[in-house]
């Protein structure tokens, strides 16, 4: 069982930056994927960025809309994943959810944080 807690959301003006953090607890040793999704009102939840760990190699994926502006990183020792968001745009406004996937002999399990609001407005 994994618990995810996000922090760092808030209200900023276009062009400013925010840094989101997610702390994992519980069976965090089994986490293979950590990332961030977002969902705006009336829209589907979409992938923002994710890190997949295969052996000792980490692979990072980004949505085209945030590539070059956002950066995801994972600190395995601290069981955290961070999303650095630069050059924020109004269209980045959404609730951002931390995501984790575990792969164990019993199967694959997905976990979600409760979400943190990011509002970009002038």
């Amino acid at each position: 069982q994994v618990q995810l807690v996000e922090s760092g959301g808030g209200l900023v003006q276009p062009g400013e930056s925010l840094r989101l953090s997610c702390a994992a607890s519980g069976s965090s040793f089994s986490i293979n994927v950590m990332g961030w999704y977002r969902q705006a009102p009336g829209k589907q939840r979409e992938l923002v960025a994710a890190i997949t760990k295969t052996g000792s190699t980490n692979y990072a994926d980004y949505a085209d809309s945030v590539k070059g502006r956002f950066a995801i990183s994972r600190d395995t020792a601290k069981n955290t994943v961070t999303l650095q968001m630069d050059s924020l745009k109004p269209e980045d406004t959404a609730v951002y959810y931390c995501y984790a996937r575990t792969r164990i002999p019993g199967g694959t399990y997905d976990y979600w944080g409760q979400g943190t609001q990011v509002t970009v407005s002038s």
Side-chain angles (χ1 to χ4, degrees):
Q1 197 69 220
V2 175
Q3 295 81 43
L4 304 173
V5 180
E6 306 102 330
S7 63
L11 172 64
V12 297
Q13 294 183 319
E16 295 183 338
S17 299
L18 278 176
R19 181 177 180 270
L20 305 182
S21 296
C22 175
S25 62
S27 302
S28 57
F29 61 88
S30 63
I31 296 176
N32 299 110
V33 181
M34 293 194 74
W36 293 91
Y37 285 71
R38 68 185 181 187
Q39 186 169 23
K43 298 182 179 180
Q44 296 183 2
R45 188 173 299 184
E46 64 176 352
L47 172 70
V48 178
I51 292 181
T52 301
K53 179 176 292 185
T54 303
S56 60
T57 303
N58 292 324
Y59 300 91
D61 297 309
Y62 296 92
D64 290 339
S65 60
V66 307
K67 192 171 298 182
R69 299 188 298 117
F70 292 8
I72 189 171
S73 61
R74 180 180 179 182
D75 189 331
T76 303
K78 297 181 179 180
N79 297 318
T80 60
V81 63
T82 299
L83 184 67
Q84 177 66 42
M85 304 185 294
D86 297 327
S87 302
L88 283 163
K89 305 175 181 179
E91 48 263 46
D92 294 318
T93 297
V95 177
Y96 284 70
Y97 296 90
C98 183
Y99 165 81
R101 169 169 287 182
T102 63
R103 293 178 179 175
I104 59 177
T108 300
Y109 302 90
D110 295 333
Y111 300 90
W112 297 91
Q114 292 185 336
T116 183
Q117 177 71 47
V118 172
T119 302
V120 185
S121 179
S122 60

